[in-house]
Amino acid sequence: MFPFDSSKKLSFSRYISDGDLLIVYERHDNMKAVKVSESGVLQNRFGVFKHSDWIGKPFGSKVFSNKGGFVYLLAPTAELWTLVLSHRTQILYIADISFIVMYLEIVPGCLVLESGTGSGSLTTSLARAIAPSGHVYTFDFHEQRAASAREDFERTGLSNLVTVGVRDIQGVGFPDEFLGRADSVFLDLPQPWLAIPSASKMLKQDGVLCSFSPCIEQAQKSCETLRSDFTDVRTFEVLLHTYEVREGNLRSWQDNDGGSMSLKSCKKRQRSTKGLENASSLTIMARRNGESRGHTGYLTFARLKCTL
Amino acid sequence: MDSLISDMSTSKSGGISCKDQNRRITWEGCSVLLDINDGDRVLFARLTAGSKIKIGNKNCSLQPLIGCPFGSSFQVEDGKEGPVLSRVLQSTKGNSLQITEESRDNRMLVDNNSAQSLTGEDIDEMRRKGASGDEIVKALIANSATFEKKTAFSQEKYLLKKQKKYAPRVLLRRPFARSICEAYYKKHAERIGFLRVDTLSLLLSLANVSAYSDVLLVDMLDGIVTGAVAERLGGTGYVCNTYCGVTPYPINIVQMFNFNDDISPRIVHSSVAELHSYENGTSPPNDQLEDASTIRSQQNEQILSPSGQNADSMEENEDGNMEIMTDVAASTKVDKGTKAGRKAPVEAIKLWKENGFSSLIIAAPNLDPWGIVKEVLPLLSYSASFAIYHQYLQPLATCMNTLQAEKLAIGLQISEPWLREYQVLPSRTHPHMQMSATGGYILSGTRISGGDQTQTM
């Protein structure tokens, strides 16, 4: 997924080849991860796409089906992966993910501990941030889930950056081999306060911990536990509002004969033909999307106290 | 560069860049962020034997901070030769109140300024006799007629207030994108175009900034984005700042980061004309290139030289809450070869022309986004991600509409991050009373190949 040698780098001169992982983009809310194979086909509502037609085209190309329908072929990114991965658990989304990565002060070379692995949505972004020389050790107590995550990291080419372990971190803590070595620790557990004492032993001094909990009671209990070994304990909620943009025909009051049509939207397809007739009243308007996520979880961050 | 801290170089993570991008102990000449009294005042400083800060009316040398771990705290104490900063070791026992029931309330509190029997003169007298800040705070409590009647919550608040005044604490923070952006946002948000830390983090994610990326940047926020991107690249790839005309935009904030010799040379600039000039294998007119580079080197000196105008103007501030100390610039060991913000090497420009940039970030608060996008988007690889920051929604909406109409990009989205902080304390959990109402807007998307006509049916 991320380029670790220049031949894999995204570029004009890099063409899709057999075995590449692609994100097939139909619409912003309809994407799919596909591994290219010489004999493969993709079938969707637009028709049948032959992989062999894709090979040799640059990433970012528009490709057509037997019926003339089209999709775009994109190189995978952590953000796109989050939208297409198979949900084995509730996953973290971009607003939380990007904030976590920055607030945990993760830079290339860092050693990061995570539990649980879940569906690996955050893990993918953690891996991007520690690359090329750091490592993410992620733990889940669910054996199959860990195995599926491992397969995913294999598929996305991250297995040299991520190690998945099966372990009950709440019950037994992180493995001793990480004592005092972790730059950052991320917890997404039902009872994070049980894992905090272990996390504090793993962190370097001044290292940052983050705990994600959907419920305020969990955050409250975590904060109480954090206050003994940690400082700078802060809890946040982060959300993303998205906007829809349209070019509309807002008619003036004086010209409005019927009164029933106050807002006429001008669809993209019509714009070129009849949109310009009323050029003076064409307005680009933005409004928040009607539906949005109202809550994901509370993010509690804390720094290990310096005692040396 | 200075020798590595031993525990860093033996770190088992075995990375190349772990060695000193992530140093956790200060060294002579490093840049630090000093947080005084829990964010009441923040300042950037460079740790040298001679650097000093003023806390209250006392001038303290920063010498004792050299060699201390980031994250450690200091208090002003009276030494033989005047006030000194002395390390406060943090205890690991809990310091939070454990109260389940509160029987006291404020019905007896009368605000008539007679509760405190210690006068200003008394306190000055204590100071003359060498009382420590903590002792003064204790005396204030002992002489407060109302302290015992206060609820435990307000006792805690009172203590904190007095401690800040009489025994100020200095916290030594690592200057990372997170802390630098937060410090600026808190005290001088206008200098970074009101770019909130969560917005900055989104820019980096949405633009898919990762190791080995070649990131094209239009950073008119004094280098905050440049620094944040360079931090993520960790000495791989390139951050190329582009500009219109002959003068690159200043990137003073980059100096606040402790970038090592692997990272700094990765921060380069090139005018948009130069980036376009190798099109079809033609070289740019020589004189034009020379022109630009001479002007740049003059500019460079102005930024880096200790006596330069820039360093001084950075220091000016209206409220005294955030200072950038002169010696941040002054004591930078200027090694021309490894300085951040050089001209992009010609070979790199040629490669970008051939391969395209892998990411694009635009943060130009006073320019029309579409005017920039139409110039720089063609420099991006197909399938590359871009993210455009603007404080206002409308310019991005117009830009998005045009990008859609011209079919230059897909996955177009305008997002506005929302960030709320909570006070989480036993029986006192609620959102902060004040919050930032906007972190600005981001238009993001993916560039696509325009080759619609070459369809295979």
Side-chain angles (χ1 to χ4, degrees):
Chain A
M1 182 177 293
F2 312 123
F4 299 115
D5 64 81
S6 53
S7 68
K8 287 282 164 62
K9 229 166 166 167
L10 188 61
S11 89
F12 291 131
S13 50
R14 194 187 152 208
Y15 301 105
I16 295 166
S17 56
D18 193 23
D20 276 340
L21 180 70
L22 287 178
I23 305 293
V24 174
Y25 177 105
E26 285 181 28
R27 270 166 43 139
H28 69 95
D29 55 356
N30 200 347
M31 289 177 239
K32 196 179 173 188
V34 172
K35 196 132 209 168
V36 179
S37 72
E38 204 73 67
S39 56
V41 285
L42 171 78
Q43 195 154 11
N44 64 14
R45 62 202 165 108
F46 300 121
V48 179
F49 297 82
K50 284 195 283 184
H51 290 195
S52 52
D53 291 343
W54 302 350
I55 293 170
K57 285 191 163 22
F59 285 90
S61 291
K62 186 180 188 178
V63 291
F64 293 84
S65 74
N66 57 340
K67 292 189 206 154
F70 65 86
V71 294
Y72 292 96
L73 306 177
L74 303 181
T77 65
E79 285 62 44
L80 292 172
W81 184 252
T82 288
L83 300 175
V84 300
L85 56 78
S86 52
H87 288 210
R88 298 176 286 267
T89 55
Q90 179 63 256
I91 65 161
L92 286 176
Y93 291 97
I94 182 166
D96 288 302
I97 291 174
S98 58
F99 192 62
I100 290 165
V101 172
M102 170 148 288
Y103 242 65
L104 285 178
E105 301 182 342
I106 300 176
V107 295
C110 278
L111 191 155
V112 180
L113 302 179
E114 180 194 32
S115 182
T117 310
S119 307
S121 172
L122 172 68
T123 321
T124 306
S125 286
L126 294 175
R128 175 172 63 185
I130 54 91
S133 50
H135 207 91
V136 181
Y137 295 90
T138 180
F139 300 92
D140 206 298
F141 66 2
H142 192 288
E143 195 151 355
Q144 274 169 315
R145 211 185 280 154
S148 306
R150 218 175 276 129
E151 276 167 35
D152 276 356
F153 300 137
E154 201 68 53
R155 198 165 166 224
T156 48
L158 300 182
S159 36
N160 55 336
L161 298 170
V162 181
T163 304
V164 187
V166 181
R167 194 177 170 95
D168 174 15
I169 298 299
Q170 258 179 218
V172 297
F174 289 98
D176 283 345
E177 61 176 299
F178 301 113
L179 278 173
R181 289 178 55 209
D183 291 289
S184 320
V185 174
F186 177 80
L187 302 175
D188 179 357
L189 296 168
Q191 295 162 292
W193 52 92
L194 297 177
I196 287 170
S198 163
S200 71
K201 293 196 190 92
M202 303 301 142
L203 278 169
K204 294 178 183 168
Q205 299 232 339
D206 199 41
V208 192
L209 174 142
C210 173
S211 173
F212 174 92
S213 300
C215 304
I216 194 74
E217 290 82 1
Q218 294 169 301
Q220 181 124 17
K221 216 158 169 189
S222 302
C223 285
E224 277 169 50
T225 312
L226 283 168
R227 282 197 182 88
S228 57
D229 291 331
F230 290 81
T231 177
D232 217 357
V233 181
R234 296 174 74 183
T235 301
F236 297 92
E237 199 182 0
V238 55
L239 292 172
L240 211 56
H241 294 128
T242 54
Y243 287 77
E244 63 169 62
V245 174
R246 59 156 41 164
E247 204 168 17
N249 191 354
L250 292 179
R251 297 205 282 172
S252 81
W253 188 30
Q254 285 78 8
D255 296 346
N256 192 355
D257 43 359
S260 59
M261 312 244 283
S262 55
L263 172 67
K264 238 185 174 176
S265 105
C266 175
K267 283 255 170 82
K268 260 177 274 167
R269 284 177 214 91
Q270 305 163 341
R271 189 187 297 135
S272 48
T273 52
K274 55 188 232 195
L276 289 171
E277 286 165 26
N278 270 336
S280 58
S281 55
L282 274 186
T283 319
I284 292 167
M285 297 175 293
R287 67 156 200 168
R288 274 198 191 160
N289 280 323
E291 287 251 340
S292 85
R293 225 166 257 128
H295 178 67
T296 56
Y298 297 99
L299 291 168
T300 298
F301 294 90
R303 278 171 190 287
L304 190 66
K305 282 180 187 169
C306 281
T307 50
L308 291 176
Chain B
M1 206 64 192
D2 313 56
S3 66
L4 306 180
I5 310 294
S6 57
D7 65 336
M8 290 288 158
S9 54
T10 57
S11 153
K12 285 178 205 153
S13 60
I16 39 147
S17 55
C18 184
K19 55 182 188 189
D20 56 11
Q21 185 180 1
N22 205 7
R23 292 169 76 170
R24 292 187 175 272
I25 294 180
T26 64
W27 62 96
E28 174 141 23
C30 82
S31 154
V32 295
L33 180 56
L34 300 176
D35 178 333
I36 299 167
N37 277 340
D38 234 352
D40 286 356
R41 202 176 145 212
V42 268
L43 55 91
F44 290 97
R46 201 163 283 277
L47 295 187
T48 62
S51 49
K52 283 184 183 330
I53 56 164
K54 195 163 186 181
I55 298 171
N57 50 3
K58 291 170 178 168
N59 262 317
C60 305
S61 160
L62 292 178
Q63 167 83 45
L65 276 58
I66 300 174
C68 289
F70 283 107
S72 44
S73 288
F74 298 81
Q75 240 175 6
V76 186
E77 276 175 17
D78 282 306
K80 273 172 253 157
E81 283 142 43
V84 285
L85 283 169
S86 124
R87 174 99 187 264
V88 188
L89 278 184
Q90 290 152 319
S91 75
T92 52
K93 66 174 176 36
N95 50 3
S96 77
L97 288 174
Q98 297 293 336
I99 296 141
T100 43
E101 259 177 76
E102 179 58 70
S103 53
R104 289 162 290 191
D105 56 36
N106 65 4
R107 79 184 75 193
M108 301 301 285
L109 287 186
V110 183
D111 189 11
N112 60 3
N113 242 342
S114 65
Q116 183 54 256
S117 54
L118 274 189
T119 63
E121 289 90 68
D122 294 338
I123 293 168
D124 288 343
E125 181 60 25
M126 285 182 74
R127 278 205 178 117
R128 266 195 298 280
K129 288 182 180 154
S132 73
D134 289 336
E135 284 162 351
I136 294 174
V137 175
K138 277 196 194 111
L140 282 167
I141 292 170
N143 288 284
S144 162
T146 51
F147 185 80
E148 289 306 323
K149 292 184 202 135
K150 288 174 192 279
T151 66
F153 304 146
S154 67
Q155 283 182 350
E156 196 184 32
K157 268 193 192 165
Y158 179 90
L159 254 167
L160 203 65
K161 219 169 98 189
K162 297 300 171 193
Q163 179 255 310
K164 280 182 174 184
K165 183 158 182 204
Y166 296 102
R169 292 253 166 132
V170 179
L171 173 63
L172 184 57
R173 284 190 190 273
R174 286 203 296 180
F176 262 48
R178 162 189 165 177
S179 54
I180 294 173
C181 184
E182 278 195 311
Y184 270 94
Y185 192 80
K186 197 163 181 182
K187 302 299 184 190
H188 284 291
E190 72 290 345
R191 288 196 194 161
I192 54 164
F194 299 87
L195 180 71
R196 211 170 53 199
V197 64
D198 53 321
T199 316
L200 176 60
S201 77
L202 266 168
L203 276 178
L204 301 176
S205 290
L206 288 168
N208 190 27
V209 174
S210 52
Y212 297 109
S213 298
D214 289 324
V215 184
L216 181 62
L217 217 56
V218 179
D219 179 357
M220 297 179 75
L221 305 181
D222 208 16
I224 183 79
V225 185
T226 310
V229 171
E231 186 179 279
R232 284 285 166 93
L233 295 185
T236 66
Y238 273 104
V239 194
C240 180
N241 259 302
T242 191
Y243 52 94
C244 203
V246 288
T247 317
Y249 308 122
I251 49 166
N252 293 298
I253 294 174
V254 169
Q255 292 174 66
M256 311 298 166
F257 291 79
N258 282 311
F259 286 147
N260 61 29
D261 290 359
D262 294 332
I263 300 179
S264 296
R266 299 292 172 163
I267 303 173
V268 297
H269 65 84
S270 181
S271 78
V272 73
E274 286 169 70
L275 291 178
H276 277 291
S277 62
Y278 290 92
E279 220 148 3
N280 312 321
T282 56
S283 292
N286 267 334
D287 52 341
Q288 186 202 333
L289 263 187
E290 269 166 36
D291 241 27
S293 61
T294 343
I295 286 166
R296 174 59 197 174
S297 66
Q298 284 162 1
Q299 166 100 5
N300 229 336
E301 241 132 69
Q302 203 184 52
I303 292 168
L304 299 175
S305 83
S307 54
Q309 292 291 326
N310 265 301
D312 286 342
S313 69
M314 296 269 300
E315 241 200 329
E316 265 175 46
N317 63 84
E318 309 76 42
D319 50 16
N321 274 334
M322 175 164 167
E323 304 112 86
I324 288 99
M325 296 182 62
T326 340
D327 45 347
V328 169
S331 62
T332 314
K333 281 174 212 151
V334 180
D335 178 355
K336 289 263 153 129
T338 59
K339 227 35 242 170
R342 289 174 312 146
K343 245 186 85 57
V346 174
E347 314 81 71
I349 298 179
K350 279 186 179 151
L351 267 177
W352 294 327
K353 193 64 229 169
E354 236 168 78
N355 295 331
F357 286 93
S358 45
S359 302
L360 165 69
I361 301 178
I362 299 174
N366 298 315
L367 298 179
D368 169 40
W370 170 245
I372 305 172
V373 168
K374 70 173 180 218
E375 291 288 325
V376 296
L377 199 67
L379 298 167
L380 269 188
S381 257
Y382 300 128
S383 198
S385 311
F386 60 88
I388 307 160
Y389 168 74
H390 212 281
Q391 233 180 293
Y392 294 93
L393 176 59
Q394 195 59 43
L396 292 182
T398 311
C399 185
M400 173 161 157
N401 196 60
T402 316
L403 281 166
Q404 252 162 3
E406 312 250 322
K407 295 194 169 60
L408 292 169
I410 53 167
L412 287 167
Q413 172 150 300
I414 295 180
S415 12
E416 180 191 17
W418 179 91
L419 181 71
R420 176 173 245 181
E421 185 164 5
Y422 284 76
Q423 165 181 303
V424 182
L425 287 171
S427 326
R428 284 161 294 165
T429 296
H430 59 72
H432 278 190
M433 299 304 183
Q434 296 290 325
M435 68 183 275
S436 148
T438 179
Y441 305 86
I442 297 173
L443 168 59
S444 58
T446 305
R447 189 191 177 204
I448 47 168
S449 154
D452 279 15
Q453 300 79 357
T454 59
Q455 41 183 270
T456 48
M457 293 294 282

